[in-house]
Amino acid sequence: MGGVRELPPDEVLVQRLRDGDEEAFALVLDTWSGGMVRLAMSFVSTKASAEEAVQDTWLAVIRGIGDFEGRSSLKTWVYRILVNTAKARGTKESKTVPFASLLPEEEGPTVDASRFRGPGEQYPGHWIVGQEPRHQHVPEDHVLRGEVRELIAQALDELPPRLRTVVTLRDVEGYGSEEVCSLLEITPGNQRVLLHRARAMLRRKLEDYLSGAHDVAVGGNDRGLR
């Protein structure tokens, strides 16, 4: 049976790529390309253009693997090439904008202000009891779990591009804040704001969905008791 194949350590993988090992190249391509396309979409106008940026990146990796010095992980090095490639392509398409400041669609409150205590109350600005974020119980039913995955994927696609870029790198690809700042050439403060807004938007979508699922479940149970 086939399964998820783990990548070997960087020193092994790099040497195999330098030796022209086609199996190693296919493995790393299959493992990283999906995330690379999602990231490239933040800089270019279409999925087709993002896929071309990824292809150009892999060509650059093949040509440049001999010069890889190991100052970062191999994945970070590849993603840095991708960001530069996609940025250049996005500039030609007049899509890429600097990460340095928030755009209008990324501004404004991300959590309903009515969920916080007012200025005249004790602990102003803190959560009102019952309105604080809670650990969501994802239904056990596999159909609903599949729906949640689809919902999160769709919500990611609908985020403003720069929010999607940061949250994808942090929460999907697993990069730390310093690596994200380095890849995107943004300040820690800017990265923090973009990540907060992206997570808040995703959380709100998930809360709305799970509240609806809970209401349906409760309604179904009530009907069953009658």
Side-chain angles (χ1 to χ4, degrees):
M1 288 179 60
V4 177
R5 299 166 61 193
E6 291 189 2
L7 292 174
D10 266 9
E11 59 272 21
V12 176
L13 185 57
V14 169
Q15 190 56 55
R16 290 178 62 182
L17 293 175
R18 285 173 173 165
D19 292 340
D21 185 329
E22 293 184 2
E23 183 180 353
F25 181 72
L27 177 59
V28 75
L29 188 146
D30 289 345
T31 304
W32 292 346
S33 288
M36 292 169 68
V37 171
R38 285 194 294 273
L39 177 58
M41 283 288 293
S42 303
F43 299 98
V44 298
S45 56
T46 65
K47 185 177 181 182
S49 185
E51 290 171 343
E52 289 181 9
V54 171
Q55 291 174 12
D56 290 345
T57 298
W58 285 122
L59 291 175
V61 168
I62 293 172
R63 288 194 296 266
I65 189 64
D67 298 326
F68 175 65
E69 297 178 345
R71 295 181 180 179
S72 64
S73 70
L74 176 64
K75 186 176 181 180
T76 297
W77 180 70
V78 172
Y79 269 56
R80 187 168 292 124
I81 294 173
L82 171 67
V83 168
N84 291 334
T85 302
K87 274 184 178 178
R89 181 177 286 270
T91 299
K92 290 180 181 177
E93 297 172 353
S94 302
K95 181 176 187 295
T96 295
V97 294
F99 265 82
S101 59
L102 286 175
L103 297 175
E105 68 269 24
E106 299 164 346
E107 296 176 342
T110 55
V111 180
D112 189 340
S114 65
R115 298 176 68 177
F116 299 99
R117 296 174 189 266
E121 301 179 74
Q122 190 176 19
Y123 308 120
H126 287 224
W127 293 101
I128 293 175
V129 175
Q131 294 296 323
E132 65 273 23
R134 298 178 179 179
H135 293 294
Q136 298 288 349
H137 172 67
V138 178
E140 293 296 328
D141 183 86
H142 73 280
V143 174
L144 287 182
R145 288 204 303 266
E147 289 181 358
V148 169
R149 282 196 294 271
E150 290 180 6
L151 173 76
I152 293 173
Q154 181 181 349
L156 270 173
D157 289 341
E158 292 174 352
L159 285 176
R162 298 187 311 162
L163 301 189
R164 183 173 64 243
T165 300
V166 173
V167 78
T168 297
L169 286 171
R170 288 294 309 275
D171 294 344
V172 179
E173 300 299 328
Y175 281 100
S177 58
E178 290 185 4
E179 291 175 299
V180 173
C181 291
S182 174
L183 277 173
L184 303 179
E185 298 178 337
I186 57 176
T187 66
N190 201 261
Q191 185 264 167
R192 190 163 50 248
V193 170
L194 292 169
L195 180 62
H196 167 73
R197 292 185 182 281
R199 285 175 173 172
M201 288 182 180
L202 294 176
R203 182 185 300 119
R204 189 168 53 201
K205 292 262 185 181
L206 195 57
E207 283 182 340
D208 290 345
Y209 170 81
L210 291 178
S211 295
H214 177 265
D215 291 344
V216 169
V218 171
N221 289 339
D222 287 347
R223 286 192 293 275
L225 292 173
R226 288 173 186 169

